Amino acid sequence: MQTNRTRWWMWTILLVAGVLFAAPTVLMIASSLKSSEQLVRDPYSVLPQPVHWQNYRDAMQSFPFFRGLSNSLLLCLGCVIGTTLSCSLVAYSLARIPWRGRKLALALVMITMMLPWHVAMIPRFWLTREVGLYDSLWAIILPTFLGNAFYIFLLRQFFMTIPEELFEAARLDGLNHWGLFSRMAVPLSLPALATVALFQFIETWNDFSSPLLYLNDPDKFPLAYSLERFVSAYSDQTNLLLAAAVLFTLPPMVLFFLTQRTFVRGISTTGLKS
């Protein structure tokens, strides 16, 4: 009886928390389908009367939506590839290859997590301009091939959970470190790699500072920066702004729901062994 009561309270708390977290999103979607008059008259009603689907069409026609979408997807693809490749290689080296100074290198990597992004902003901008990458999408993509301290630590913790006996058996079969990494560590770490890829995708998708710093050509602006310019130009048309916000939120939301099981598995099984 006590177990059933505890379970009932747990589900009740989760339901209330879910409703509270979902309420802003539901209200945003409902408001994006309203007319400007209804938004002023009844801003907190859930049901639009009538439904204005043309708000989405007008929003996409009011700023270069598809061009920004293609730039954002290109940036996300390049950054995800760069982050997963570089961070997995470094993490495997720190977790499975014994070499002198490994603990010191791990400490230095962890220390970089304490440095704010603004500290490296000016040196990175100067270096980007000197090598001729300014006003290019490569200025945002290439730094991801140099690794990220948080993702390196995340993947290292996952690599540490793989039993050493599997690597010993593979060594007896003649595999070198590259074979151990590509044929054992990577296939066994797909949940963790998917988690890193999802984190990097969302970070790149929502990134506003990097395009503002490195890009100058409007044809190269990603969707986040194009949306900000749209907000500045159409600040008096709230229904169109909400429709554009829904369009901007939709891709990462769909991606998260499609990879939710893998994402949860990667988070729950990371860091079990130090």
Side-chain angles (χ1 to χ4, degrees):
M1 184 66 182
Q2 185 68 25
T3 303
N4 293 334
R5 183 177 300 177
T6 303
R7 185 177 301 175
W8 186 86
W9 276 108
M10 181 184 66
W11 282 108
T12 302
I13 293 173
L14 290 176
L15 179 61
V16 173
V19 170
L20 291 177
F21 278 102
T25 303
V26 173
L27 185 61
M28 178 182 68
I29 296 174
S31 300
S32 67
L33 297 172
K34 298 177 183 178
S35 63
S36 299
E37 294 77 12
Q38 186 183 359
L39 273 176
V40 175
R41 183 180 66 254
D42 192 8
Y44 298 108
S45 64
V46 178
L47 298 178
Q49 300 174 351
V51 176
H52 288 74
W53 293 106
Q54 63 270 21
N55 289 344
Y56 288 89
R57 181 196 61 195
D58 295 341
M60 287 188 291
Q61 293 178 350
S62 299
F63 74 106
F65 172 79
F66 291 103
R67 186 172 60 198
L69 177 63
S70 62
N71 291 334
S72 291
L73 292 176
L74 182 60
L75 281 175
C76 290
L77 178 62
C79 291
V80 166
I81 293 174
T83 297
T84 54
L85 179 62
S86 60
C87 293
S88 60
L89 288 171
V90 176
Y92 178 81
S93 172
L94 294 174
R96 289 297 177 181
I97 301 178
W99 48 280
R100 183 177 299 177
R102 182 176 63 172
K103 293 185 178 180
L104 177 61
L106 176 61
L108 293 176
V109 169
M110 299 302 297
I111 288 174
T112 61
M113 294 177 61
M114 300 185 225
L115 297 176
W117 181 79
H118 307 83
V119 172
M121 181 176 63
I122 295 178
R124 282 184 57 180
F125 176 80
W126 177 82
L127 181 62
T128 300
R129 188 182 60 182
E130 289 298 316
V131 298
L133 293 178
Y134 178 71
D135 199 24
S136 170
L137 296 181
W138 287 108
I140 303 174
I141 295 175
L142 283 181
T144 61
F145 284 84
L146 302 178
N148 180 287
F150 173 71
Y151 300 142
I152 290 173
F153 175 75
L154 189 72
L155 292 174
R156 174 190 176 271
Q157 296 302 102
F158 195 95
F159 289 147
M160 295 288 290
T161 64
I162 302 176
E164 180 63 27
E165 291 78 9
L166 295 177
F167 290 95
E168 291 294 339
R171 291 190 187 97
L172 292 176
D173 290 336
L175 287 182
N176 55 17
H177 280 301
W178 176 252
L180 293 173
F181 170 75
S182 60
R183 300 177 63 178
M184 286 195 58
V186 170
L188 292 174
S189 305
L190 289 181
L193 292 172
T195 301
V196 170
L198 181 60
F199 279 163
Q200 183 61 51
F201 180 91
I202 295 176
E203 179 183 346
T204 306
W205 183 267
N206 296 326
D207 189 14
F208 174 78
S209 301
S210 296
L212 179 65
L213 184 63
Y214 299 116
L215 300 179
N216 189 44
D217 187 359
D219 292 336
K220 300 176 183 177
F221 290 159
L223 198 57
Y225 192 68
S226 300
L227 183 62
E228 192 278 335
R229 293 166 63 91
F230 174 70
V231 170
S232 302
Y234 293 86
S235 58
D236 57 333
Q237 301 186 37
T238 309
N239 55 338
L240 298 186
L241 297 181
L242 291 172
V246 172
L247 292 172
F248 179 76
T249 309
L250 194 59
M253 188 182 300
V254 171
L255 180 63
F256 175 78
F257 280 114
L258 292 177
T259 60
Q260 182 180 11
R261 183 173 300 179
T262 304
F263 171 75
V264 173
R265 182 185 172 194
I267 289 294
S268 61
T269 55
T270 299
L272 298 179
K273 181 179 179 182
S274 60

